[in-house]
Amino acid sequence: MDGFQIIKELEEEKRIDQSRLDVLLQTGNREVVEYLYQRARAVREKWYGRDVYARGLIEFTNHCRNNCFYCGIRRDNTVVERYRLSGQQILECCERGYALGYRTFVLQGGEDVFYTREKLADIISSIHTRYPDCAITLSFGEWKREDYQCWFDAGARRYLLRHETASREHYSQLHPQEMSLRHRMECLQQLKEIGYQVGAGFMVGSPGQTREYLLKDLLFLREFSPHMVGIGPFLSQKDTPFAQEKNGTLEVTLRLLAILRLLLPKTLLPATTALGTVAPDGRELGLQAGANVVMPNLSPVAVRSKYTLYDNKICTGEEAAECRKCLEQRVELAGYRIVTHRGDSLVEIE
Ligand code: 5AD
Ligand code: FES
């Protein structure tokens, strides 16, 4: 099958099937790959122009009850120094972020039972009351429907929960037995039903990932049609069972970003921190492959180096106090511009 033809048909939403996507994943033809990026950029510009949405990321706790094999803040990691931000500290992050122009705050953390449903609802409604023009995004894992509902009622409108892999076999290679793909998917479904704008996604090049699994991820995402899709390379972390595993690559991540842009034209696609870690210009290249969101770190500098999901994470040093400035320059050099409105997804909520 002709790669150029497949890309055209994908863009026209004519024919999308596993074997066609597989050709795009596999091709070594540089002209086809270049054409793929070119079309992804065109589709992104059709819907979002050259705008890049910025989200202020607040990593508020690195305590976690889970034990995912890949993750540096897993329960069994005794080396990592644990921290929690108080409600007051979180609000201070928002205050700094608001002054810097952010209109979306992402509260991200491990699954930390210290923050009860009520505590979190309090924090969310304080942010919502103080910054009614801002969107509040949550990203702290698997909870009960009632919890998700309560936080929605408190004012949160978006939830990021990567599915990690759409294959049951692969899921069990990445997670201990007590975790299940079924529960993950149930959570995603509930979030959608409650009315959240939902983000899913996966790591590129995670241990055991095959092309077949990637194709399943792509077809799942096409079907689930999330408002946002977060992907970034898997990066090993020295105190996890995957310490010796190979990292995902820049090239495969970029290619998947471009394919996702064609598969889900209006979705929000972040150029992730992991992408900026695997290559110094990774996020810029991500934007040029179809990504349209960046999520600079707003956490207090003192805790940043403790939120180490993987090794060598960027933006953790003193010099990163103002990710906003750094990213603004990077985005401009890549030919885009950061905009400061809420940046809602164009994907309709059905
Ligand atoms: N490398 C890259 N990404 C990781 N994540 C967790 N651990 C790693 C790692 N070692 C990703 C997961 C999770 C998100 C918050 O970060 O996909 O959902
Ligand atoms: Fe954080 Fe560049 S974006 S230091």
Side-chain angles (χ1 to χ4, degrees), residues 227-268:
H227 293 86
M228 181 155 175
V229 179
I231 66 164
F234 159 77
L235 300 168
S236 67
Q237 203 289 332
K238 61 181 180 17
D239 308 305
T240 63
F242 286 167
Q244 305 303 326
E245 300 288 339
K246 274 213 305 271
N247 286 346
T249 67
L250 173 71
E251 290 72 21
V252 180
T253 309
L254 293 176
R255 193 179 296 200
L256 282 159
L257 280 171
I259 294 174
L260 283 165
R261 175 55 70 206
L262 296 182
L263 263 183
L264 298 161
K266 299 188 210 171
T267 205
L268 296 164

Side-chain angles (χ1 to χ4, degrees), residues 309-323:
L309 307 186
Y310 45 81
D311 291 334
N312 306 314
K313 187 175 168 204
I314 53 169
C315 305
T316 56
E318 289 292 330
E319 75 290 351
E322 290 303 338
C323 284

Side-chain angles (χ1 to χ4, degrees), residues 22 38 47 64 92 112 138 152 161 198 208 247 292 312 350:
D22 197 26
Q38 195 191 311
W47 295 107
C64 192
E92 281 163 19
D112 183 356
L138 309 180
F152 186 88
L161 182 68
V198 177
N247 286 346
N292 68 328
N312 306 314
E350 61 268 34

Side-chain angles (χ1 to χ4, degrees), residues 283 315 320 323 326-327 330:
R283 288 172 299 178
C315 305
C323 284
C326 168
L327 258 181
R330 288 169 178 273

Side-chain angles (χ1 to χ4, degrees), residues 282-334:
R283 288 172 299 178
E284 292 89 320
L285 293 170
L287 294 174
Q288 291 167 343
N292 68 328
V293 175
V294 290
M295 301 171 73
N297 204 322
L298 262 185
S299 315
V301 174
V303 301
R304 284 198 200 170
S305 59
K306 298 176 187 155
Y307 201 84
T308 41
L309 307 186
Y310 45 81
D311 291 334
N312 306 314
K313 187 175 168 204
I314 53 169
C315 305
T316 56
E318 289 292 330
E319 75 290 351
E322 290 303 338
C323 284
R324 168 80 205 210
K325 281 232 172 60
C326 168
L327 258 181
E328 206 161 277
Q329 285 170 1
R330 288 169 178 273
V331 165
E332 269 169 34
L333 280 174

